[in-house]
Amino acid sequence: NAGVTQTPKFRVLKTGQSMTLLCAQDMNHEYMYWYRQDPGMGLRLIHYSVGEGTTAKGEVPDGYNVSRLKKQNFLLGLESAAPSQTSVYFCASSPRGGEGRLEPQHFGDGTRLSIL
Amino acid sequence: AQSVAQPEDQVNVAEGNPLTVKCTYSVSGNPYLFWYVQYPNRGLQFLLKYITGDNLVKGSYGFEAEFNKSQTSFHLKKPSALVSDSALYFCAVRDYKCRRALTFGSGTRLQVQP
């Protein structure tokens, strides 16, 4: 059982290049999230999606775009990479659950991205 | 806005001793609280959650957490630490603004010495 799979695991980019990070989940979860993790700052939410075809901004959305064309996939794009976007990126998913049953999020193993 | 504070960057404890990792929170309304653990080069793994009910929540790997509403705290505890518990621990609170997303603390590194 794969759970949440992120590709690639590592990537080095030059400033101004573009790339797309892929997240795939096989648990039929409705909700999906992209976070970035920086030292001493925990995880910060970039964008999230509550269902196929819908996305919304999180805490730090600038410089990123997302798409969720299929329920199982959530793509994170960097149109013009900047050194400030050097980080570890985590994707997570969770089922809808009920209001009284907030389900935990399931995380991928991360993508380590360096922008030179 | 809601927030989570983990006041200790690192906690050191000897194997076999009890451990506590501290977390305080600030929310409007009822808090939904979580603890996650992160091992090197891995994603976060769910340990336990508090939604409502008993103030002592039991989770995976022998961990438990105590919810204290008056002190707005949700400290993670374990009666007897193992070397394998050494990892990075995150406290998190549900973010009401970003549906079902989480607001994370900055993390506490737990080092258990043999």
Side-chain angles (χ1 to χ4, degrees):
Chain A
N1 49 345
V4 178
T5 303
Q6 292 183 233
T7 53
K9 297 187 184 306
F10 305 94
R11 186 72 183 269
V12 178
L13 291 178
K14 294 181 179 179
T15 297
Q17 288 185 317
S18 63
M19 80 161 296
T20 300
L21 281 63
L22 172 63
C23 175
Q25 53 98 1
D26 61 2
M27 297 170 284
N28 201 35
H29 287 170
E30 286 80 8
Y31 300 129
M32 296 188 75
Y33 316 86
W34 275 107
Y35 294 91
R36 59 178 288 174
Q37 183 180 26
D38 301 294
M41 300 186 71
L43 277 73
R44 293 180 292 168
L45 182 68
I46 304 172
H47 286 279
Y48 67 103
S49 169
V50 299
E52 182 178 323
T54 68
T55 63
K57 295 179 179 180
E59 179 186 357
V60 288
D62 294 342
Y64 305 96
N65 56 75
V66 288
S67 65
R68 190 157 178 211
L69 299 179
K70 295 183 179 181
K71 185 177 183 179
Q72 64 268 33
N73 295 336
F74 195 28
L75 306 178
L76 178 70
L78 285 73
E79 291 186 346
S80 180
S84 61
Q85 294 177 304
T86 294
S87 188
V88 182
Y89 292 85
F90 287 98
C91 177
S93 70
S94 65
R96 186 186 306 275
E99 189 58 29
R101 296 187 292 112
L102 187 60
E103 301 296 335
Q105 295 179 15
H106 299 253
F107 285 80
D109 285 340
T111 295
R112 284 149 186 82
L113 186 60
S114 292
I115 315 296
L116 304 178
Chain B
Q2 48 209 14
S3 63
V4 174
Q6 294 182 241
E8 302 156 316
D9 290 336
Q10 182 157 323
V11 170
N12 298 307
V13 64
E15 188 174 30
N17 284 0
L19 69 88
T20 299
V21 182
K22 296 180 180 178
C23 170
T24 58
Y25 65 89
S26 174
V27 296
S28 55
N30 294 324
Y32 291 175
L33 296 156
F34 297 78
W35 275 102
Y36 284 81
V37 59
Q38 184 180 31
Y39 297 101
N41 300 314
R42 299 299 302 276
L44 278 67
Q45 297 177 28
F46 169 74
L47 278 180
L48 51 81
K49 68 179 178 182
Y50 172 84
I51 304 296
T52 186
D54 291 340
N55 290 341
L56 187 64
V57 179
K58 294 190 181 296
S60 306
Y61 313 122
F63 283 93
E64 57 190 25
E66 185 172 10
F67 172 69
N68 188 316
K69 188 173 183 178
S70 63
Q71 297 185 3
T72 62
S73 66
F74 189 54
H75 299 333
L76 182 69
K77 300 182 179 184
K78 188 174 183 181
S80 179
L82 300 173
V83 172
S84 58
D85 293 331
S86 298
L88 190 56
Y89 290 82
F90 290 97
C91 182
V93 65
R94 172 183 170 173
D95 191 323
Y96 283 83
K97 181 179 178 182
C98 299
R99 180 129 31 117
R100 295 181 182 270
L102 298 174
T103 298
F104 286 87
S106 55
T108 298
R109 186 164 301 281
L110 174 65
Q111 283 288 127
V112 181
Q113 284 109 13

